[in-house]
Amino acid sequence: MIKPFESMINDESLKFTQTLNTLQVNVGSLCNLACKHCHISAGSNRRELMSLETMKQVIRLLPNFKTLDITGGAPEMNPKYRWLVDEACKTGVHVMTRSNLVIMTEAGYQDLPEFLAECGVEIVCSLPYYSENDCDRQRGKGTFKAVISMLQKLNALGYGKSLPLDLVYNPGGAFLPPSQSSLQKEYKSRLHSEYGIEFTNLFVITNNPIGRFGEFLHRSGNYERYMKRLSDSFNPEALPVMMCRFQLSVGYDEKLYDCDFNQPLGLVINGPENICDVNDIAQLTPRKIKFANHCYACVAGSGSSCGGATT
Ligand code: SF4
Ligand code: SF4
């Protein structure tokens, strides 16, 4: 039996947010893929999408932050995605979008690379491994080739050179990721020598035991073992840099969360629950974070966040 996560935090101040840098916005669970590690359980059967009215609230709050991080689902499938990107860029904050890139090879989305390059948006793309078999096993047949062709197109537009292009690695099962710096070297070398691809950074992310990945752990009888692995790897140095201490997360339904992992669990923040109820950033920080045992994934080993390893 593992200890409740919160009991592992001895310093009370680490249970609270600090200055908020990033506003992360989940614009919906609709996705063209159905990856095995997905913590949102996103897929083509999901219909939840953020409305234009909620996006207007996001733009209203944005000047209080340095970065807007747009995620989903496949965020591009929200019909108002381009509006959000455009309006966010006008505010002058740094805008980043998460993408599976496969979507940009599909009809209706093929001009997105040029649109994002013109706006100067940072692209963060999931690529679970640099080999076709491993990638396709986790994300679906044909995904590796589609991502490779799109990375080549993005390189031609200046991504991975003058424009930031990051890749994301997730373990293909119930184990912790390897070292981010050594894996980045491997990715850079293999993707460049085999496909001529360049990218900026590799983010190594620990699979969170919720959503579709959580279902897999339960189904395969691995849940307890994985949780023990996470708690045995507890790294106190990762506590001060947990991403929830520096960000606010907005759900498609305008509810506010400490992070994108707390969304599928319905753990709204201690504070105003809806973005439209926020009039002053002082309502949002300092606030006590809502922890549960899935939080072990953020502080195991080298630590993990949406921006990769934290220590
Ligand atoms: S991990 Fe990303 S690309 Fe894969 S199903 Fe989930 S939201 Fe879609
Ligand atoms: S899961 Fe969310 S709330 Fe928990 S430690 Fe990670 S970022 Fe913080």
Side-chain angles (χ1 to χ4, degrees):
M1 193 67 175
I2 63 172
K3 288 185 181 169
F5 177 78
E6 199 166 328
S7 71
M8 304 293 284
I9 310 176
N10 296 325
D11 180 346
E12 254 334 271
S13 71
L14 298 181
K15 297 178 183 174
F16 287 81
T17 56
Q18 294 207 320
T19 303
L20 302 179
N21 297 323
T22 300
L23 185 61
Q24 191 176 58
V25 177
N26 191 316
V27 297
S29 315
L30 178 62
C31 189
N32 55 321
L33 303 183
C35 307
K36 288 183 179 165
H37 64 275
C38 188
H39 68 273
I40 294 286
S41 306
S44 56
N45 58 333
R46 300 292 298 265
R47 291 291 171 264
E48 303 90 334
L49 289 171
M50 181 176 277
S51 68
L52 179 62
E53 286 64 40
T54 306
M55 289 184 184
K56 286 180 180 168
Q57 295 291 328
V58 168
I59 297 298
R60 179 177 68 84
L61 272 198
L62 203 48
N64 296 291
F65 296 84
K66 288 187 179 149
T67 298
L68 175 69
D69 180 352
I70 306 172
T71 188
E76 303 93 328
M77 294 179 84
N78 184 308
K80 298 299 175 195
Y81 171 77
R82 292 179 200 233
W83 182 91
L84 177 63
V85 170
D86 216 22
E87 291 300 312
C89 288
K90 284 183 202 161
T91 69
V93 305
H94 177 66
V95 178
M96 57 197 288
T97 186
R98 293 178 192 268
S99 176
N100 61 49
L101 292 193
V102 179
I103 189 71
M104 295 192 198
T105 66
E106 296 185 5
Y109 302 96
Q110 288 163 353
D111 59 339
L112 274 173
E114 287 83 357
F115 168 73
L116 294 171
E118 272 168 33
C119 298
V121 172
E122 177 176 0
I123 299 178
V124 182
C125 155
S126 183
L127 184 64
Y129 211 53
Y130 48 71
S131 77
E132 185 169 357
N133 281 351
D134 291 291
C135 182
D136 283 9
R137 198 168 46 239
Q138 200 167 332
R139 317 201 77 197
K141 198 163 168 40
T143 53
F144 182 77
K145 283 197 174 118
V147 170
I148 292 297
S149 71
M150 192 47 62
L151 287 172
Q152 288 166 334
K153 177 167 182 178
L154 290 169
N155 276 173
L157 289 168
Y159 273 104
K161 298 164 185 171
S162 54
L163 289 165
L165 172 64
D166 308 306
L167 303 185
V168 175
Y169 162 89
N170 285 85
F175 51 90
L176 288 180
S179 142
Q180 181 165 282
S181 57
S182 52
L183 195 59
Q184 176 170 294
K185 274 188 205 133
E186 263 178 70
Y187 262 65
K188 288 216 173 204
S189 155
R190 289 290 290 269
L191 290 177
H192 191 262
S193 64
E194 292 186 28
Y195 308 102
I197 287 169
E198 292 175 65
F199 65 93
T200 315
N201 293 304
L202 179 73
F203 298 158
V204 162
I205 300 185
T206 303
N207 287 331
N208 203 292
I210 59 172
R212 193 174 290 124
F213 184 66
E215 285 165 23
F216 154 75
L217 291 173
H218 284 292
R219 220 176 33 247
S220 61
N222 273 308
Y223 184 80
E224 300 299 336
R225 204 171 310 137
Y226 186 64
M227 289 306 297
K228 183 165 185 323
R229 188 166 288 162
L230 293 180
S231 65
D232 285 349
S233 311
F234 179 79
N235 175 4
E237 285 177 22
L239 289 172
V241 282
M242 293 179 294
M243 64 179 172
C244 46
R245 302 192 69 225
F246 310 97
Q247 72 164 34
L248 179 71
S249 176
V250 189
Y252 77 90
D253 55 358
E254 76 179 31
K255 291 208 164 55
L256 300 176
Y257 303 88
D258 296 305
C259 71
D260 204 53
F261 299 121
N262 282 5
Q263 284 195 32
L265 299 175
L267 295 172
V268 293
I269 64 164
N270 287 310
E273 289 193 2
N274 289 299
I275 191 169
C276 54
D277 296 330
V278 179
N279 301 311
D280 187 336
I281 196 79
Q283 291 172 271
L284 298 169
T285 195
R287 65 172 198 279
K288 184 159 185 298
I289 299 159
K290 279 198 185 164
F291 296 109
N293 279 2
H294 66 297
C295 297
Y296 275 108
C298 295
V299 296
S302 303
S304 181
S305 71
C306 290
T310 53
T311 64

